[in-house]
Structure formats: C-alpha cells, structure tokens
Amino acid sequence: MEKESIESLGEFGLIDRIKSTAVLYDSNNTKLGIGDDAAVIDNGKTYTLVSTDMLLEGVHFDLTYTPLKHLGYKAVAINVSDIAAMNGTPKQITVSIAISNRFDLAAVDEFYEGVNLACEAYHIDLVGGDTSSSRAGLVISVTAIGEVEKDKIVYRSGAGENDIVCVTGDLGAAYLGLQVLEREKQEFLGNPNMQPKIDDKTYVVGRQLKPEGRTDIIHDLNEIGVVPTSMIDISDGLASEILHLSKHSGVGFTVFFENFPIENITLETCTEFNLNPIASIISGGEDYELLMTFKQADFEKIKAIPEITPIGFVTKEKENWLVLNSGEKTKIVAQGWK
Amino acid sequence: MEKESIESLGEFGLIDRIKSTAVLYDSNNTKLGIGDDAAVIDNGKTYTLVSTDMLLEGVHFDLTYTPLKHLGYKAVAINVSDIAAMNGTPKQITVSIAISNRFDLAAVDEFYEGVNLACEAYHIDLVGGDTSSSRAGLVISVTAIGEVEKDKIVYRSGAGENDIVCVTGDLGAAYLGLQVLEREKQEFLGNPNMQPKIDDKTYVVGRQLKPEGRTDIIHDLNEIGVVPTSMIDISDGLASEILHLSKHSGVGFTVFFENFPIENITLETCTEFNLNPIASIISGGEDYELLMTFKQADFEKIKAIPEITPIGFVTKEKENWLVLNSGEKTKIVAQGWK
C-alpha cells in the first residue's frame, strides 16, 4: 500500500483531519476549539482567547536577512494579530525558543529585546515559555492569551448576505518585501562586499520584517460601537482568507481589485520584479491586516476609521469572485501552505 | 571580546535573565509571570493557569525507541503535570507540530492518537495548535490551560519551617527506563536482527515512555480539604526541584534516602547498569511526580492518600541536605539542563 503523504492533504486538510478526531469533553467551558484564529474559553465573565504559532528557521524565516530583534517582535505581533481577528485584546504571551550552539547570549538577548518591545507596544505581559537546545536551527513557539467581552466576539462564521467586505491598511507589501530581501540575499551570496540596495524599498521590506497586529483597529471599532459580522487576519494571503470566511459563513464574496488599498511602491516593485500585481496582491501573505465584513447599517459609522477600506460585498451564492479593473471576473481559488 | 555562551548560564540562569527584562503591564490581570510551573492569570472568578513545553527530536526524544503514540501522550501529560503542580485542573490544550517530509500521514495520525488518548484520560480539550513543515526533525510545542480556585493555588514559594516534605508515586524509574532503552538502541544498531530484552523492564520503560501527570493526587487532596504549602513537579530530578522550592520559599530541605519511595525493579536496574542508586534517584528526571510540602497539622489527613510519601522536613536554615541510610549527610547541589 502506498503511503499517504501529508502534502496531498495540505495544511488546511491536515487541520481538518486533526479537528475531526478531537473530542471536546468540557463543552461548558470550551466555547470553540480548532478552526478559527483563536480558541475560545468561557471563563464566566468574559471569553479567554488562545492562539499559537510555531516559527522554524529555514521554513518561516531566514536569518541571513532577518535581524533577531525584528524576529522577536514579529513572533509576538503575528499572535497578537490572531487575537485581534476575534475582536479581542491580547493580554499575555508565552514564548518558547530552541537554540543551537551557534547562538551566543547576545543573540538571545537581541531576540528578547524584540519580544519585549512588542510586549510594550501591545501592552501585553510575557508570562512564560520554555528554553531548550536545538540540533538544527532556531525554533520559536508563541502562545497568546487574550480577552473579549462575550457579546463582542467575532468568528469566521458570521458573514451574511449583502454585508460589506473590508480590509485594513494596505495589501501585498509584505510579499514584495520578501522578494526584495531574497534578491539581496542572492546578490550578497554572489558578492559579499556588495552594499544592499533597499533604500527605496524600506516600506515593503519593513512590512515583511516588522508587521503589526491591528489591535488599533479593534480599539477604534470598540470606540464607535461597531462589531464586524466576521473577521480573519491576512496571514496566508487575501484569497486564502476570503475562502476561509466563505466556507465558515456559508456565503460568497465578490471583491473588486480597483478598490484594493495598495501602496504605489508595492505596484512599482511588482513591475521591477516582473510579477503579476493581481496574483501578488491576492496571494501574497504576511500582511497581518484584517479582512472583515460589516452589516450595511454600520457602513456610515466605519467611515470614521480611515484605515478601513471597503473592497466588495457578500452574496448568498457560495462562489467567490475577484472583479478586475476591466470588469472581467475571475474565480478565487484555494491557496495555502504545502 | 569573547562571546558569552548560553551554556555558562545554564537553563535556569537563562530563564532568570529573560524574566529580569520582562515588564508586566497588566498587573490587575497577570497574577504571576515567569518563574513557577505555570503562569497565573486572574480571570475574575478563578485563576487561569498557562504552561508550555517544547520537545525536539534528538534533544528530548529519540524516535528509534519512542512510539509516536506514546510521544503524543507524553507531550500532553508533561504539561498536565505543570498545571497539577499549581494545584490546578487542566482544561484545554494546544498542540503544534513541525514535521519533515520523512513522516507520512499515518505517522501524524499515530501521534494525534496519543494526544487524543491523553485528552480523554485527563478530560481536557484539544482546542488549537499550528502545523508546519520542518527541515530537521519533529518539533512539538504544547500549551496547557488550567483552572484553580483562588484560595487553592499553590506556588513554589509557600514552604515554611517544620513543614513535611512529601513526594507522590515512586522515584527514579523513568531515568532507569531511559538507560534500558538506550542500551537496547545500541545493541539494535550493532545487530538489527536482535530481539529486545525488555520484558522484565516494562515498569521502568513504561515510566519513561508514558508518564502521567498526577491530577489524581490533586483531586484526592481536594477531597480531603488539604492544600499543600508549596509544590513543583519532578521533571528535572528531585535534587533540582528541591533547590527550586528552597530558593523560592527561602527555607531549607532535609530529606532521608531511606524514606524515598523506590520500586525494587528501579534499584535492581541500577545494579545491573552499575549506576549509583543515590545519584540515579536524586538526579534522574522525568518521573513527573509531585514534590510538595504540608503543614504539620495536615499530616494525619494526608495519610488517607497512600500514594503520598513523607520524605523529610523543612528547616529555617536555607541549606538542603540528603541524609543517607548510614546517617551521613550530603549537601544537595545544583543540577539542570546544559
């Protein structure tokens, strides 16, 4: 019998498989298990949110061009982003690291300097973790604990027909930043005396190396009293996240490329690298912006938050469409981790 | 300038260093950060406990002799043990894995079979995690969430003069089990057709491969209405844990080797491997039993729990002594991860 490979399932297939065998024993307390940006635990007064991410050298980051301080910051920020995606406030974090003997104490200090900076920026407490030696590269595992009032929690599953689809910030820059860094790495490997040519690319490079979780938007939404109907953070790319919301909510999304918030430098970098801008924007991951849907009735209110941009609407039909500037429609298909 | 190495600090030195730079921003909510078996978060009604552990192939486990199902079970059990060490009840768990392409889907299923068995045994919910590819071996990160009533929480810091020092279960077997498995591995590498000779060693091997978190003891203590004054789980070895309780509580421990609960098979295996039984029992880790202290007044009550054995007493002087069967005293010194 041929061995069944993990690749054939893909990341999301594997998660579904793990979820299908998990039994919830404590349904009073566990409100939601596997399958959203964070797990939801009923602590009586509020919901406790739990999200976790593992980052491996050579898979998720390349230390050739990633300063350890930025890596520490990013490891926290991407978990903060998951808590924000449930409309929650991050409160505590645990950070575990496994390090090989090529790292000295100064390297560990630099990493935790980034972790502590992120804790300061998001006002969260580093409360635990694990330290270990590693025979391979650096491994990081972060778990974020957050809180949300029970009537304000937002799942992937709440989008309804005619809701407005919005994103925060701008799209695609982190992916283009990665292209710039990879190019510099190749040139550096060819000529170690070269000077990096990234002065005009600081924006896209910064988006790759130092993303932010959008807790500011969660705060602003709370101020104007609006709760999204569904939400997810954009880690794997807009297309992938649209498909998640579509699947969980049982509706379809139609989004318009002309409405996408994209910085000029992002589009210019696409041209420079001869990359299709549409594919780069819709599939490029790691922006850690929020994709969310709102009731039509809330549309006037959310105009007060300039960093939220409407990009489309929700349909009853469970098909997902990207409308190009020409008016042509293209179906949004699956992406994901392999 | 010479680079400062991580080895020179050791694991506990590194944890102290990380702790010293961590700022707690939310002291209303975060009751205790780094430095005990679990972090303590005040959720209003009760305390939420958070504990996390990372396990790496080639460092923490050897797949030559560790069945993946046992590994999944153990990864959960050792985190359950940390929650128990705070006198808490484990409720939820997240499990992250990074796997290289030499693993097929059957291997992942086997690992999660063990995780799910442990969830069933401890009545806890698998609520999340992360899956990723790995360029090196298997990496596992588990975070356990637990709960404890506010007036029942037990820290490392509560031991007082004249308290009785106790342990649960028996000591040293897991370390001897590891010796047996390592010997079998070496013999197998020399002759792959060999038959394993572990029939008479099932107890010690089982203690290494499938430890249990002592939630049963926590339940029993709750039933008889006794709260330990301090507690820690025995993961790094009895000596190391005694030093932790001593340091955090500001007191000393005197324990008697003749009182230690040790199975005959453990002592016989020491003889067979030509290992000093005292060193093996006091420094051998991974028993995942509980070391705890009780007020004298509770001594009669705890006799009702046969799996709790008194092994010594707490002194005002901050020195830690092991009294041998000969009556000779030997000072307990630091051990730990390097």
Side-chain angles (χ1 to χ4, degrees):
Chain A
M1 218 180 83
E2 215 187 319
K3 281 191 177 185
E4 205 175 347
S5 77
I6 296 161
E7 287 72 24
S8 65
L9 268 183
E11 181 182 16
F12 304 129
L14 183 60
I15 293 169
D16 284 345
R17 192 180 177 102
I18 294 165
K19 186 183 172 184
S20 71
T21 63
V23 179
L24 295 188
Y25 297 94
D26 188 3
S27 49
N28 288 337
N29 194 231
T30 303
K31 178 87 181 153
L32 182 79
I34 299 167
D36 212 303
D37 290 79
V40 183
I41 298 164
D42 189 341
N43 65 46
K45 232 172 72 182
T46 59
Y47 288 142
T48 298
L49 305 167
V50 183
S51 163
T52 191
D53 269 305
M54 201 193 262
L55 302 173
L56 288 94
E57 185 179 349
V59 178
H60 301 94
F61 58 87
D62 186 331
L63 289 177
T64 321
Y65 51 71
T66 310
L68 281 163
K69 192 168 153 184
H70 284 75
L71 187 61
Y73 193 97
K74 184 170 176 173
V76 176
I78 66 176
N79 277 282
V80 160
S81 181
D82 280 321
I83 300 294
M86 307 297 290
N87 207 27
T89 306
K91 293 278 187 175
Q92 289 89 11
I93 207 146
T94 67
V95 177
S96 297
I97 52 164
I99 32 183
S100 60
N101 52 17
R102 74 188 157 89
F103 292 93
D104 62 3
L105 208 47
V108 176
D109 286 346
E110 202 195 323
F111 175 81
Y112 277 95
E113 216 183 302
V115 168
N116 289 331
L117 269 176
C119 286
E120 194 183 345
Y122 298 109
H123 226 76
I124 52 182
D125 297 342
L126 173 64
V127 295
D130 194 11
T131 59
S132 158
S133 55
S134 160
R135 294 205 176 171
L138 179 62
V139 181
I140 303 159
S141 181
V142 175
T143 300
I145 319 283
E147 197 180 15
V148 61
E149 287 172 48
K150 288 188 178 181
D151 59 348
K152 293 208 170 136
I153 190 157
V154 179
Y155 297 107
R156 294 181 179 177
S157 55
E161 190 181 357
N162 296 326
D163 281 358
I164 299 165
V165 181
C166 293
V167 291
T168 60
D170 65 275
L171 300 175
Y175 175 71
L176 274 307
L178 181 63
Q179 307 312 310
V180 173
L181 289 165
E182 284 287 344
R183 179 187 68 187
E184 294 304 302
K185 178 186 175 183
Q186 294 312 320
E187 293 191 3
F188 176 81
L189 292 175
N191 172 17
N193 297 317
M194 69 157 261
Q195 291 297 312
K197 300 182 298 279
I198 57 166
D199 275 3
D200 60 334
K201 297 289 193 298
T202 39
Y203 182 71
V204 293
V205 166
R207 291 283 287 171
Q208 169 60 222
L209 293 180
K210 195 172 170 285
E212 300 283 357
R214 300 305 309 256
T215 48
D216 56 335
I217 300 286
I218 302 307
H219 177 263
D220 292 350
L221 284 171
N222 197 38
E223 289 281 300
I224 62 168
V226 171
V227 177
T229 53
S230 72
M231 185 153 53
I232 190 169
D233 75 327
I234 305 176
S235 53
D236 295 321
L238 184 65
S240 177
E241 316 309 350
I242 284 176
L243 293 175
H244 281 305
L245 292 190
S246 164
K247 182 184 160 190
H248 285 257
S249 296
V251 293
F253 283 66
T254 296
V255 294
F256 298 83
F257 190 75
E258 67 178 359
N259 294 343
F260 286 9
I262 310 168
E263 290 292 316
N264 284 339
I265 183 69
T266 305
L267 290 172
E268 285 164 22
T269 312
C270 281
T271 308
E272 192 180 325
F273 280 76
N274 211 7
L275 287 167
N276 179 324
I278 296 162
S280 299
I281 304 306
I282 200 154
S283 302
E286 299 206 271
D287 283 321
Y288 297 101
E289 296 295 341
L290 297 167
L291 170 68
M292 41 208 186
T293 55
F294 293 99
K295 284 197 163 53
Q296 292 269 355
D298 288 323
F299 189 57
E300 279 306 309
K301 283 192 196 165
I302 59 166
K303 281 182 183 168
I305 307 174
E307 285 229 52
I308 294 182
T309 306
I311 60 165
F313 56 84
V314 177
T315 61
K316 201 171 150 187
E317 295 72 39
K318 296 176 198 169
E319 291 186 335
N320 297 291
W321 296 100
L322 171 65
V323 183
L324 304 180
N325 295 4
S326 61
E328 204 187 326
K329 282 166 76 177
T330 171
K331 208 162 189 173
I332 298 171
V333 290
Q335 295 279 336
W337 166 89
K338 283 284 176 192
Chain B
M1 219 180 82
E2 214 187 319
K3 281 191 177 184
E4 205 175 348
S5 76
I6 296 162
E7 287 73 24
S8 66
L9 268 184
E11 181 181 17
F12 304 130
L14 183 59
I15 293 170
D16 283 345
R17 192 179 177 101
I18 293 165
K19 186 184 172 182
S20 71
T21 62
V23 179
L24 295 188
Y25 297 94
D26 188 3
S27 50
N28 287 337
N29 194 231
T30 303
K31 178 85 182 154
L32 182 80
I34 299 168
D36 213 303
D37 290 79
V40 183
I41 299 164
D42 189 342
N43 65 47
K45 232 173 71 182
T46 59
Y47 288 142
T48 299
L49 305 167
V50 183
S51 163
T52 191
D53 270 304
M54 200 192 261
L55 302 173
L56 288 93
E57 186 179 348
V59 179
H60 301 94
F61 58 88
D62 186 330
L63 289 178
T64 320
Y65 52 71
T66 311
L68 283 163
K69 193 168 152 184
H70 284 75
L71 187 61
Y73 192 96
K74 183 170 177 172
V76 176
I78 65 176
N79 277 281
V80 160
S81 180
D82 282 321
I83 300 295
M86 308 296 290
N87 207 27
T89 306
K91 293 279 188 174
Q92 289 90 10
I93 208 146
T94 66
V95 177
S96 296
I97 51 165
I99 33 184
S100 61
N101 53 17
R102 74 188 157 89
F103 292 94
D104 61 3
L105 207 48
V108 176
D109 285 347
E110 202 194 321
F111 174 81
Y112 276 96
E113 216 182 303
V115 168
N116 289 331
L117 270 176
C119 286
E120 194 184 343
Y122 298 108
H123 226 76
I124 52 182
D125 297 341
L126 172 66
V127 296
D130 194 10
T131 59
S132 159
S133 55
S134 160
R135 292 204 178 174
L138 179 62
V139 182
I140 303 160
S141 181
V142 175
T143 300
I145 319 283
E147 198 180 14
V148 61
E149 287 172 48
K150 288 186 179 182
D151 58 349
K152 294 213 170 132
I153 190 157
V154 179
Y155 297 107
R156 293 180 179 177
S157 55
E161 190 183 357
N162 296 327
D163 281 359
I164 300 165
V165 181
C166 295
V167 290
T168 59
D170 64 275
L171 300 174
Y175 174 71
L176 274 306
L178 181 63
Q179 307 312 311
V180 172
L181 289 165
E182 284 288 344
R183 180 188 67 187
E184 294 305 302
K185 179 186 173 183
Q186 294 312 322
E187 293 192 4
F188 176 81
L189 292 175
N191 171 19
N193 295 318
M194 69 158 262
Q195 292 298 312
K197 298 183 300 279
I198 57 168
D199 274 3
D200 60 334
K201 297 288 192 298
T202 38
Y203 182 72
V204 293
V205 166
R207 292 283 287 172
Q208 170 60 224
L209 293 180
K210 194 172 170 284
E212 300 283 357
R214 301 306 308 255
T215 47
D216 56 335
I217 300 286
I218 302 307
H219 177 264
D220 292 351
L221 285 172
N222 198 40
E223 289 282 300
I224 62 167
V226 171
V227 177
T229 53
S230 73
M231 186 154 51
I232 190 170
D233 74 328
I234 305 175
S235 53
D236 295 322
L238 183 64
S240 177
E241 316 309 350
I242 284 176
L243 294 174
H244 280 306
L245 292 191
S246 165
K247 182 184 161 191
H248 285 258
S249 296
V251 292
F253 283 66
T254 296
V255 294
F256 298 82
F257 190 75
E258 66 179 359
N259 294 343
F260 286 7
I262 310 168
E263 290 291 317
N264 284 338
I265 183 70
T266 304
L267 291 172
E268 286 164 21
T269 312
C270 282
T271 308
E272 191 179 327
F273 280 76
N274 212 6
L275 287 168
N276 179 324
I278 297 161
S280 300
I281 303 309
I282 200 152
S283 301
E286 298 208 271
D287 284 321
Y288 296 102
E289 296 295 342
L290 297 168
L291 171 68
M292 42 209 187
T293 54
F294 294 99
K295 283 196 166 51
Q296 293 268 357
D298 288 324
F299 189 56
E300 280 306 309
K301 282 191 197 166
I302 59 166
K303 282 184 180 166
I305 308 175
E307 286 229 49
I308 294 183
T309 306
I311 60 164
F313 56 84
V314 176
T315 61
K316 203 171 150 187
E317 295 72 38
K318 293 176 199 169
E319 292 187 333
N320 298 290
W321 296 99
L322 170 66
V323 183
L324 304 181
N325 295 4
S326 62
E328 204 187 328
K329 283 167 76 177
T330 172
K331 211 161 187 174
I332 298 171
V333 290
Q335 295 279 335
W337 164 88
K338 282 286 175 189

